[in-house]
Amino acid sequence: MGKKLVVFMSLLLVTMGCASNVNTSVTEQNNHKSNVVQEEPQEEVSAEEINENTDSERLEVDKQKQELENLTLEVNGKVYGESSQFSEYVTGVKTMLNTEEKVIALTLDACGGENGSGYDEELITFLIENDIKADLFVNARWIDEQYEAFVELAANPLFTIQNHGTEHKPLSVTPRSAWGISSTSSQEEIVDEIMENQMKIFEITGEIPQYFRSGTAFYDDTAVQIAEDLGVQVVNFNVIGDGGATFTNEEVSQEMLKAQPGSIVILHMNQPQSETAEGVKDAVLVLLEQGFSFVHLNEFDLE
C-alpha cells in the first residue's frame, strides 16, 4: 500500500525593469548572466534501472505470497485438539492495549454481505478531518462491493487495514452459531475464512494484516490457536461502541465515553444509515478534551 507524499515548492518571483537601450554593453550582459542560478543536472534513471526495481518488487511480492501459501498448507497439516470454549472472550483473544497511557484504539468493522456492504463516508470523513487514527477490519465481500473506497482508505496513513474474514463467519472446529450466523465447522474452513481474505488484502495493498476479527467476534479456543499459527492476533474489544450499528447517537456517545486508558472500541463503518457517525463525533471531541488520544493497535502490545 503506498502512502501519499505531498511536496510543497516555493516560487521565486523577480521583477525586472525593461531596458530601453538596444545597445546593451558587454559588461551589463555579463552582470546579468552572473545572476542566473545554474541548475545542477539531474541524474537520469535508465529504463534498465526502472525495470530492475520493478522486477525486484515483483520478486518480493511473489516471495511473500508464496510464504502465505506455504503457511496455509503448514497449518492445514497440523493436528489440533477439540475446543472447550466458544465466546467473544475465549483464551487468547485480545481486548485491551497493554498500557496505562490515556490512549484508545478505534476499530471499525466493515462486514459486507447483502445487508452490510454500505460505506459510512460521514464517519470516515470526520476521522480524516480531525486526524483520528483507526484500524479498519474489512471483510472480503465489503472489499468487492466498495473496491475504490477500500483502495483509498488503504492508502491513508490514518488507517490500517485488518482482516474481518472472508464470509463473516464465527470460527469453530465444530458446527455452532452466534447471533444467528452459522460458524465454520472444521479446521480447513477456519483456515480458509482467515487466509482467503488475508491473501486478498495483500494482493491489493501489498501489506499483510496483523490482526483478525471474525464475523460476530465469536471463536472457540482451537480457532484462536489456529489464527495465531497463521500469523495474526485475534482482536476483539472492551467497549462495544455502537451495538452492531444499532445504537442511537446518544447511546454510541455514552458507550464510547466509558473508555479507559488502553481501551479497544468496536464500531461499524458499513451502515451509513445508522447513527454511529453522529455518536462518534460527539464522543471523540469529549475524549480529546479529557486528554485521550487515538492510536493504532500496533503501537502497543495487546492483552
Side-chain angles (χ1 to χ4, degrees):
M1 252 173 290
K3 304 295 181 185
K4 297 180 181 177
L5 178 65
V6 179
V7 179
F8 294 91
M9 300 181 64
S10 15
L11 299 176
L12 181 62
L13 301 178
V14 179
T15 304
M16 301 179 64
C18 298
S20 58
N21 187 356
V22 177
N23 296 317
T24 307
S25 69
V26 173
T27 302
E28 288 175 329
Q29 292 180 34
N30 288 337
N31 287 340
H32 175 68
K33 289 177 182 178
S34 68
N35 290 327
V36 176
V37 178
Q38 298 296 324
E39 293 184 1
E40 294 185 4
Q42 297 182 350
E43 293 185 9
E44 293 185 1
V45 179
S46 68
E48 289 78 8
E49 289 175 307
I50 293 173
N51 288 334
E52 284 178 8
N53 290 337
T54 304
D55 290 343
S56 176
E57 290 171 359
R58 285 201 198 99
L59 287 172
E60 182 60 29
V61 168
D62 289 343
K63 178 183 176 182
Q64 289 181 287
K65 184 175 180 179
Q66 187 62 55
E67 288 174 353
L68 289 175
E69 291 173 351
N70 291 342
L71 188 59
T72 299
L73 292 172
E74 179 184 335
V75 172
N76 267 331
K78 289 185 177 182
V79 177
Y80 293 87
E82 294 183 1
S83 64
S84 59
Q85 308 171 43
F86 183 68
S87 77
E88 296 165 298
Y89 303 105
V90 302
T91 303
V93 173
K94 312 299 183 182
T95 60
M96 290 275 291
L97 307 175
N98 185 12
T99 182
E100 295 181 1
E101 296 181 37
K102 293 188 75 172
V103 294
I104 298 169
L106 297 183
T107 64
L108 278 57
D109 286 5
C111 305
E114 183 179 353
N115 299 311
S117 290
Y119 175 39
D120 196 337
E121 193 168 356
E122 180 184 356
L123 172 59
I124 295 298
T125 298
F126 169 78
L127 297 178
I128 293 172
E129 289 177 347
N130 289 274
D131 202 32
I132 304 297
K133 295 178 180 178
D135 297 284
L136 312 182
F137 282 78
V138 183
N139 181 262
R141 303 170 306 173
W142 192 88
I143 295 173
D144 291 338
E145 290 295 323
Q146 300 287 349
Y147 185 83
E148 291 184 6
F150 172 75
V151 171
E152 185 175 343
L153 291 169
N156 190 320
L158 281 176
F159 307 125
T160 75
I161 301 298
Q162 307 304 334
N163 189 341
H164 194 34
T166 304
E167 295 185 17
H168 198 255
K169 292 183 177 182
L171 296 190
S172 175
V173 291
T174 57
R176 290 185 167 107
S177 68
W179 301 106
I181 299 176
S182 298
S183 73
T184 58
S185 58
S186 68
Q187 176 178 328
E188 291 75 16
E189 285 185 27
I190 291 171
V191 172
D192 288 346
E193 179 67 13
I194 296 172
M195 294 305 289
E196 286 182 12
N197 196 38
Q198 194 82 336
M199 185 70 77
K200 187 186 195 77
I201 291 170
F202 170 68
E203 289 179 341
I204 296 171
T205 69
E207 301 287 342
I208 299 174
Q210 295 177 254
Y211 307 109
F212 178 84
R213 178 179 293 152
S214 70
T216 75
F218 268 70
Y219 320 80
D220 67 25
D221 47 323
T222 302
V224 174
Q225 182 59 59
I226 291 172
E228 290 177 353
D229 289 347
L230 290 169
V232 290
Q233 292 188 68
V234 176
V235 177
N236 276 1
F237 37 81
N238 74 320
V239 175
I240 300 176
D242 65 356
T246 65
F247 288 172
T248 65
N249 62 334
E250 292 87 358
E251 290 171 329
V252 172
S253 181
Q254 289 170 6
E255 292 304 310
M256 287 185 64
L257 292 177
K258 294 177 182 178
Q260 307 164 4
S263 281
I264 299 174
V265 180
I266 181 175
L267 298 159
H268 290 77
M269 54 176 278
N270 63 309
Q271 299 289 350
Q273 78 285 356
S274 73
E275 297 185 28
T276 295
E278 290 302 322
V280 170
K281 291 179 186 179
D282 293 340
V284 163
L285 296 178
V286 172
L287 289 166
L288 289 172
E289 289 178 358
Q290 293 177 352
F292 282 94
S293 59
F294 296 89
V295 298
H296 290 145
L297 293 168
N298 61 15
E299 296 180 49
F300 294 88
D301 291 333
L302 305 183
E303 60 181 12

